[in-house]
Amino acid sequence: MTFTTRLSLLFLAIALAAFSVYYFLFKLPIERSERAFEKSKEAARKIASEFQQAFGFSPEILARDCVIVGAATPILELATVSKPLTVETSYGEKDAMTSYSVVVRGEYVVKAGYDLRKKFRIEVAEGGISAEFPEPQILSAELTNYEILGEGGTLSVFWKKTSKQAVQEAALKRNKERALQAADSSGILNDAREKLLLQTRSIFERVSESPKNLSIRFRG
């Protein structure tokens, strides 16, 4: 074997070694990273579609700190739980020597859910999916029916009809405030939180290749 041939073989071996080092240390990791990023982007689009179908809105979804799907909220509020409540309230007012009081019973449908103007964020990564949602809140208390259970007072016959109506309206206003307080202590917010958790986990498990690595938290 001539010197020129040996030199050519040496250069070829060096070139192959250099290419191997480049491929395994640089090119292959980049290709793997790009494939993983494409999978994350695909998962992000699927999650957005699933959220749109389930809730009617899409949260902000990121992969490697890049926004893959921007938040889309055609509605401002998302009610996930509703609960009927019946509340009784007594209220009265005095005017010089007379007084007038009423007892009212109000029937309400209270709805709890989420203000979609607050940030809903989901991050997709190779190791799993993490989400951050706002805490649920009571969205409304709709009065569906009410009844005046009793009227009383001192010389209440001297009260004008319009004055009595004003007292009844004030009683209903306080009744609604009590309904909101009762709803807050009834566990409706926890129900709304649990419902979103269950549906979100179900979406993540359908989309993610690593269903065990799911993280969902609520911020105050």
Side-chain angles (χ1 to χ4, degrees):
M1 183 180 296
T2 64
F3 175 76
T4 303
T5 302
R6 290 198 299 270
L7 191 60
S8 298
L9 290 173
L10 177 61
F11 284 144
L12 180 60
I14 293 172
L16 286 172
F19 176 78
S20 297
V21 169
Y22 165 75
Y23 181 78
F24 287 105
L25 292 183
F26 298 99
K27 187 173 179 59
L28 185 59
I30 291 172
E31 289 178 349
R32 286 176 177 169
S33 179
E34 289 176 348
R35 285 197 297 269
F37 187 47
E38 288 302 318
K39 284 185 178 181
S40 294
K41 289 197 292 184
E42 182 182 357
R45 295 187 184 101
K46 287 180 179 178
I47 290 171
S49 176
E50 294 268 2
F51 260 79
Q52 187 65 47
Q53 291 179 29
F55 302 111
F57 83 103
S58 297
E60 182 182 73
I61 306 178
L62 300 88
R64 294 185 186 172
D65 296 325
C66 298
V67 177
I68 306 301
V69 180
T73 55
I75 54 177
L76 298 180
E77 294 179 336
L78 173 67
T80 57
V81 178
S82 64
K83 179 178 290 190
L85 282 177
T86 300
V87 180
E88 292 184 13
T89 303
S90 59
Y91 177 74
E93 291 184 3
K94 292 182 179 180
D95 182 11
M97 300 293 293
T98 66
S99 65
Y100 175 69
S101 61
V102 293
V103 178
V104 297
R105 174 188 292 158
E107 296 176 3
Y108 299 85
V109 174
V110 180
K111 294 181 180 181
Y114 299 87
D115 182 349
L116 297 183
R117 290 166 293 190
K118 297 180 179 179
K119 189 174 286 292
F120 287 72
R121 174 173 287 184
I122 295 173
E123 189 159 357
V124 182
E126 287 182 68
I129 304 173
S130 61
E132 183 180 80
F133 300 144
E135 286 284 357
Q137 61 190 62
I138 294 173
L139 300 176
S140 65
E142 179 186 357
L143 178 66
T144 58
N145 189 33
Y146 77 93
E147 181 182 1
I148 304 295
L149 298 180
E151 299 177 79
T154 304
L155 300 175
S156 60
V157 292
F158 291 105
W159 281 62
K160 294 180 181 179
K161 184 177 180 180
T162 53
S163 299
K164 289 183 177 181
Q165 287 176 341
V167 172
Q168 292 172 7
E169 289 173 2
L172 282 171
K173 183 178 180 181
R174 292 202 174 189
N175 191 252
K176 184 174 182 178
E177 291 171 355
R178 286 197 61 189
L180 291 170
Q181 292 170 358
D184 191 35
S185 60
S186 71
I188 192 172
L189 295 179
N190 188 62
D191 292 343
R193 187 183 297 106
E194 288 300 316
K195 186 168 184 179
L196 184 62
L197 276 172
L198 286 172
Q199 290 180 287
T200 301
R201 285 198 183 105
S202 177
I203 290 172
F204 286 177
E205 287 170 0
R206 289 197 298 272
V207 170
S208 176
E209 294 180 357
S210 305
K212 293 182 179 179
N213 298 325
L214 306 176
S215 170
I216 304 170
R217 75 182 189 91
F218 292 84
R219 65 178 182 279

